[in-house]
Amino acid sequence: MSPLTIRAVFPLGVFQGHRADGSPDRLPDTARLFSALVNAAGQGSEAIAVKGRLEPSSESTAALSWLEKHPPTMIRIPNHVPVSPDRRPDAYRKTGTVQGPKKSPAMRIGARQISTGTAIDDCVGWFWADAPSEVQETVGRLCADVSCLGEDDSPVILTLDQFVPTHELVASTQQLRPIGLAVRTPGPGRLDELIRAHHEAFPPKMPSAAQDSPSFSEMPRGSRVPTEGLRVLRYKSPTPPPADSPWPLAMLLPLSAHIALEDGLTWCVAMHRMLISRLGDGAPAIVTGHYARGASQPANRVAVQYLPPTLLSHRAESGDFPHGAIALLLPASIAAEDRGEIVRALNSPRLGLWSSAGRVTLGTPLRIDASQFWPTPQPGWRRQWRTLEGMVPETRRQPRHELLGAWGFPQSALLSVGHVFREELALTRANTYWETVSVVTDRGVQILGTHLIPDSEVSRYVHKVPRSIGVVQPYSAQLDLADLVNDRALLALGQARHLGGGLLVPMDSPEVS
């Protein structure tokens, strides 16, 4: 036995297909491929005549039965975009049915949306790790008889050529937290169901002229699409080991007095201003956030977060922070010389902070590994995350997506995850917001819940926002970051993640729950 690969190339660069409800199907799945092979087996050069009608041969039946019992171990999903993402035009045509007065009937004209295809920049592929040689030979002959995959105007070339897979089959799917891309796949019995549906649509005895006469009550209808024998399997992209942390290094500065949690952002802004003041006119852009026009900007800058004493109680040095600490988070992309300047700027025995909430003094900074900040989860427990206070969306509500639905707080949270982990997810600033949400979701990140925070004092959650965002709506969120980051990293999300907002804290629960 050796690997079996089926490679689908669309000569027009566009795949055209629809789901049972008439909505566009963006890519051909394994179930659609299987149906095309069954059609080729029963109508193509491999078919045999049985009692005056064409039927699949025993070799084709054996190969197709093997395919329905063995799902692909890997698939290839190319880059793809809708041909016409905006409103699609309608095409009008005669439907073959009549309407109007019986004395002077007229042909009924129906409308159908066009330009529902998907532009594909490369091949689609299916890979089986091991397949019998006779199955490979038969499938190769069937592929040569497949002319289209999807609609009639979606021509395809199927070959057994090699390709590079992008997704692998998830070995065990978790019902509560399914991960990966859902793919319709044939299961045992699918071949028999397709053959039965074909016999039902094309009976051996044709209807009489009276039975086939038109009726005013007759409406256009297509062939029934059978759904029996189908299953949904999930495929995910092979993922690298989780990143240590977007901010691998942190400096904790003890506070001389207790500060209220709701004033934390105010003190973080004061800390940021004090740091820029001590750095002077040459303060690096990774601190100020002001970059020269056209300069490349990293995903994350130096961040300032307030850590109350309860968040430090698990650490050995918690006794040095009786009133909590201001944490200065240094991103992985910071240059060595910028890091040195920041350390020197904080090299003072007593640094004072002033804000509208009063005055506090900062003690000697303690350098820690921010990627190992939180305690390790207990054995058998799963680590998820929640916002300590709240976070703020980084954009206003986006137009509804054809496939992903409406925009809300969950999509805003996914977008914020994508912005923080832009380098790890190979995203660029050119990616649209919906593309970012799709990539983050495909990585396995899930939003477990979001809730609007009914607080008119939005200054508690964000310092400044672009005017384009409009109304500021702080919200809380619970997240599962999958394997995007390790379980002990100190990190924050949202519009104010660099200035005291969106801090994430662990939310552990038993795996069995």
Side-chain angles (χ1 to χ4, degrees):
M1 295 177 59
S2 58
L4 167 64
T5 58
I6 299 180
R7 185 172 184 264
V9 175
F10 294 87
L12 301 181
V14 174
F15 163 75
Q16 182 93 359
H18 293 85
R19 302 188 180 98
D21 61 359
S23 61
D25 200 0
R26 284 302 164 212
L27 286 173
D29 53 24
T30 312
R32 194 181 288 274
L33 170 70
F34 185 81
S35 297
L37 294 175
V38 172
N39 179 72
Q43 303 290 325
S45 59
E46 294 296 306
I48 59 175
V50 178
K51 296 181 180 181
R53 63 191 301 170
L54 293 178
E55 298 283 351
S57 65
S58 58
E59 292 83 1
S60 297
T61 301
L64 293 170
S65 298
W66 187 92
L67 288 178
E68 67 180 4
K69 297 174 184 175
H70 299 83
T73 51
M74 289 187 287
I75 60 176
R76 175 173 179 79
I77 302 296
N79 295 327
H80 58 281
V81 295
V83 172
S84 180
D86 300 324
R87 185 185 184 279
R88 297 181 295 272
D90 293 329
Y92 297 88
R93 61 180 181 179
K94 296 179 179 180
T95 63
T97 59
V98 294
Q99 64 179 356
K102 292 187 177 181
K103 293 183 178 180
S104 57
M107 293 291 291
R108 181 179 283 109
I109 297 177
R112 180 178 178 180
Q113 287 187 328
I114 60 176
S115 300
T116 56
T118 303
I120 301 175
D121 74 344
D122 201 352
C123 69
V124 181
W126 297 265
F127 175 88
W128 290 261
D130 292 298
S133 57
E134 58 272 17
V135 170
Q136 297 189 43
E137 294 172 2
T138 304
V139 169
R141 294 194 297 269
L142 294 179
C143 286
D145 281 341
V146 176
S147 60
C148 59
L149 199 56
E151 309 289 340
D152 292 340
D153 54 356
S154 182
V156 72
I157 300 174
L158 295 184
T159 65
L160 303 188
D161 295 337
Q162 301 286 325
F163 59 85
V164 179
T166 60
H167 292 66
E168 60 186 4
L169 180 65
V170 177
S172 59
T173 303
Q174 301 180 23
Q175 295 299 324
L176 295 179
R177 291 185 293 268
I179 61 174
L181 184 68
V183 178
R184 287 191 319 151
T185 308
R190 180 60 175 171
L191 174 61
D192 293 339
E193 175 62 20
L194 290 176
I195 294 177
R196 188 195 63 77
H198 177 77
H199 289 170
E200 181 182 289
F202 299 94
K205 183 180 179 181
M206 301 301 294
S208 63
Q211 293 172 333
D212 201 37
S213 61
S215 169
F216 280 86
S217 61
E218 185 179 10
M219 296 296 293
R221 62 182 181 90
S223 301
R224 184 184 70 87
V225 180
T227 57
E228 291 77 5
L230 286 176
R231 51 184 169 168
V232 175
L233 301 180
R234 290 189 172 268
Y235 292 79
K236 69 173 184 177
S237 302
T239 54
D244 285 339
S245 172
W247 294 275
L249 179 64
M251 302 179 69
L252 303 184
L253 293 93
L255 292 165
S256 63
H258 174 77
I259 63 176
L261 182 59
E262 57 267 23
D263 294 331
L265 188 139
T266 300
W267 287 108
C268 289
V269 172
M271 173 67 189
H272 187 249
R273 288 172 174 167
M274 183 273 290
L275 178 60
I276 293 176
S277 175
R278 292 186 65 85
L279 289 170
D281 295 336
I286 203 165
V287 175
T288 64
H290 298 298
Y291 289 85
R293 184 182 299 273
S296 60
Q297 300 184 25
N300 302 293
R301 307 192 302 272
V302 172
V304 187
Q305 290 287 337
Y306 166 58
L307 303 179
T310 53
L311 298 186
L312 296 166
S313 60
H314 66 280
R315 299 189 63 88
E317 63 272 11
S318 61
D320 298 332
F321 302 92
H323 305 293
I326 295 291
L328 200 66
L329 309 181
L330 305 183
S333 59
I334 190 170
E337 55 271 21
D338 292 342
R339 183 171 62 246
E341 287 187 34
I342 293 173
V343 172
R344 286 190 292 271
L346 299 178
N347 186 20
S348 176
R350 296 181 65 83
L351 295 172
L353 288 184
W354 288 264
S355 77
S356 58
R359 179 183 185 278
V360 295
T361 303
L362 302 177
T364 304
L366 173 67
R367 192 179 310 190
I368 65 168
D369 182 359
S371 66
Q372 304 296 318
F373 178 80
W374 300 109
T376 305
Q378 301 179 42
W381 288 58
R382 181 181 181 86
R383 173 147 295 174
Q384 296 167 331
W385 304 89
R386 66 174 178 86
T387 51
L388 177 63
E389 276 287 275
M391 56 191 294
V392 173
E394 299 183 64
T395 181
R396 65 171 59 209
R397 185 183 297 272
Q398 297 298 299
R400 183 182 181 87
H401 192 275
E402 185 177 39
L403 298 180
L404 301 178
W407 188 275
F409 287 134
Q411 289 70 33
S412 293
L414 290 170
L415 177 67
S416 294
V417 173
H419 284 173
V420 171
F421 294 94
R422 194 175 71 203
E423 282 89 358
E424 288 79 5
L425 296 171
L427 292 166
T428 67
R429 299 177 70 88
N431 288 104
T432 67
Y433 292 149
W434 277 116
E435 288 172 347
T436 301
V437 167
S438 179
V439 170
V440 173
T441 303
D442 190 37
R443 184 62 183 267
V445 175
Q446 296 184 69
I447 307 304
L448 308 177
T450 58
H451 302 278
L452 173 68
I453 299 176
D455 191 344
S456 60
E457 294 294 334
V458 295
S459 59
R460 297 175 180 174
Y461 308 97
V462 66
H463 177 52
K464 290 181 180 179
V465 294
R467 183 174 299 178
S468 59
I469 289 182
V471 177
V472 176
Q473 293 182 307
Y475 67 101
S476 62
Q478 300 84 44
L479 313 91
D480 187 336
L481 295 179
D483 55 1
L484 190 58
V485 70
N486 75 69
D487 289 336
R488 302 183 60 191
L490 184 62
L491 66 157
L493 301 176
Q495 178 72 33
R497 67 184 184 272
H498 297 124
L499 284 177
L503 182 67
L504 297 186
V505 296
M507 185 179 68
D508 296 351
S509 60
E511 279 284 2
V512 293
S513 66

